[in-house]
């Protein structure tokens, strides 16, 4: 399945999501190269992240607020984007911040977080397409062992399992934009056929959600419409 004219892709604000090491940044860069657009990458630096993983009291709340503030300011800048920028491709979805918050914060912290999040989210621009790179827990564990840093390698498997389940639950219920869910355990963006096939799926996306199994899994790609 070859890619047709990239100019036919109608989406002007694409967000790519997935758990860490899901290759979402790599996909954002591939999309930018193939269909054009300004690439916006998440700020991954956070002074409280190490304390959080070391389970220091209060560090989870501080780390979450830093991530929220950084993403908010970055998203606000998109509202004043250059008029000559035809498309934005972002390697995160602002709403996903809540996934981690609900996994890490106490009930009292969540009350404060929700109030702050609610105020900020009203001003954040919304994507017109979201791509979710879905990987399994076993794939995530393998990637951490092979590619992860020391902090990631010390994360408990229970926490990883909770995060994978939380992402799947979030996107199963996501209604904010057309959603393309990609089974991405073995997806390889160095393989031209994988890239071309995925770009075809993006071009053919409508207003509903879609579950997509890449051709690299063997046999013909399977597309399953979900919610209208």
């Amino acid at each position: 399945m070859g890619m047709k004219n990239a100019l036919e892709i109608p989406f002007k604000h694409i967000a790519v999501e997935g758990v860490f090491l899901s290759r979402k940044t790599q996909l954002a860069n591939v999309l930018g190269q193939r269909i054009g657009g300004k690439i916006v990458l998440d700020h991954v630096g956070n002074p409280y992240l190490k304390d959080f993983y070391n389970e220091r009291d209060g560090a989870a709340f501080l780390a979450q607020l830093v991530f929220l503030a950084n993403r908010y300011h970055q998203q606000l800048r998109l509202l004043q984007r250059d008029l000559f920028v035809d498309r934005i491709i972002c390697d995160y979805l602002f709403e996903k911040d809540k996934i981690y918050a609900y996994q890490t914060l106490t009930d009292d912290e969540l009350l404060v977080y929700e109030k702050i999040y609610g105020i900020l989210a009203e001003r954040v621009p919304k994507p017109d397409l979201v791509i979710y790179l879905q990987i399994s827990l076993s794939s995530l564990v393998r990637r951490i062992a092979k590619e992860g840093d020391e902090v990631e390698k010390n994360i408990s498997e229970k926490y990883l399992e909770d995060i994978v389940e939380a992402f799947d639950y979030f996107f199963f219920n996501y209604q904010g934009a057309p959603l393309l869910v990609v089974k991405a355990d073995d997806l390889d963006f160095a393989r031209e056929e994988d890239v071309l096939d995925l770009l075809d799926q993006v071009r053919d996306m409508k207003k509903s959600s879609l579950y997509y199994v890449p051709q690299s899994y063997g046999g013909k790609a399977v597309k399953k419409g979900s919610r209208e």
Side-chain angles (χ1 to χ4, degrees):
M1 187 185 297
M3 184 186 70
K4 298 179 182 178
N5 190 347
L7 295 178
E8 295 175 8
I9 293 176
F11 304 105
K12 299 300 183 184
H13 185 167
I14 300 173
V16 182
E17 258 303 345
V19 299
F20 64 99
L21 297 181
S22 63
R23 313 278 195 264
K24 60 192 184 76
T25 301
Q26 187 178 357
L27 176 56
N29 283 314
V30 167
L31 290 174
Q33 293 164 6
R34 297 304 182 98
I35 68 176
K38 177 181 176 61
I39 300 171
V40 179
L41 303 181
D42 199 1
H43 290 296
V44 295
N46 191 315
Y48 299 104
L49 203 54
K50 185 175 181 180
D51 287 342
F52 161 66
Y53 284 123
N54 289 331
E55 300 183 358
R56 184 167 297 178
D57 288 346
F61 185 58
L62 293 173
Q64 202 66 51
L65 290 184
V66 169
F67 278 130
L68 182 63
N70 285 345
R71 290 165 183 155
Y72 171 71
H73 287 298
Q74 187 176 55
Q75 292 292 308
L76 272 194
R77 288 196 291 272
L78 298 183
L79 292 175
Q80 292 90 38
R81 63 182 182 269
D82 193 321
L83 294 177
F84 294 102
V85 174
D86 185 56
R87 181 181 286 114
I88 291 172
I89 301 167
C90 191
D91 76 337
Y92 68 94
L93 179 69
F94 185 80
E95 292 97 316
K96 77 91 175 279
D97 198 82
K98 296 178 73 171
I99 298 177
Y100 288 100
Y102 274 82
Q103 293 298 314
T104 60
L105 302 185
T106 66
D107 289 345
D108 288 342
E109 290 169 340
L110 275 173
L111 287 174
V112 178
Y113 171 87
E114 280 282 10
K115 290 179 180 179
I116 298 172
Y117 176 90
I119 294 170
L120 301 184
E122 292 179 358
R123 300 188 61 194
V124 170
K126 308 298 183 186
D128 54 6
L129 174 67
V130 176
I131 302 173
Y132 171 43
L133 297 179
Q134 182 186 52
I135 64 172
S136 64
L137 173 63
S138 58
S139 292
L140 178 56
V141 170
R142 284 195 301 270
R143 291 182 187 183
I144 290 174
K146 184 178 180 180
E147 308 167 23
D149 57 31
E150 288 306 310
V151 172
E152 291 166 343
K153 289 179 179 178
N154 286 324
I155 300 174
S156 72
E157 187 161 330
K158 178 61 170 65
Y159 178 78
L160 297 177
E161 181 181 10
D162 290 344
I163 287 297
V164 170
E165 289 182 356
F167 266 79
D168 282 345
Y169 179 81
F170 176 86
F171 283 105
F172 181 79
N173 294 283
Y174 181 73
Q175 299 282 348
L179 173 68
L180 175 61
V181 180
V182 181
K183 184 172 173 58
D185 295 89
D186 298 317
L187 194 63
D188 185 354
F189 297 120
R191 278 197 299 259
E192 184 69 5
E193 59 268 31
D194 282 12
V195 173
L196 293 178
D197 195 43
L198 180 55
L199 288 174
D200 272 346
Q201 309 309 315
V202 172
R203 188 204 68 240
D204 293 339
M205 278 291 295
K206 306 300 182 184
K207 295 300 182 182
S208 60
S209 297
L210 196 68
Y211 183 77
Y212 162 58
V213 180
Q215 290 188 14
S216 57
Y217 284 83
K220 187 177 181 180
V222 177
K223 298 191 292 184
K224 295 180 181 179
S226 54
R227 305 177 305 277
E228 291 296 324

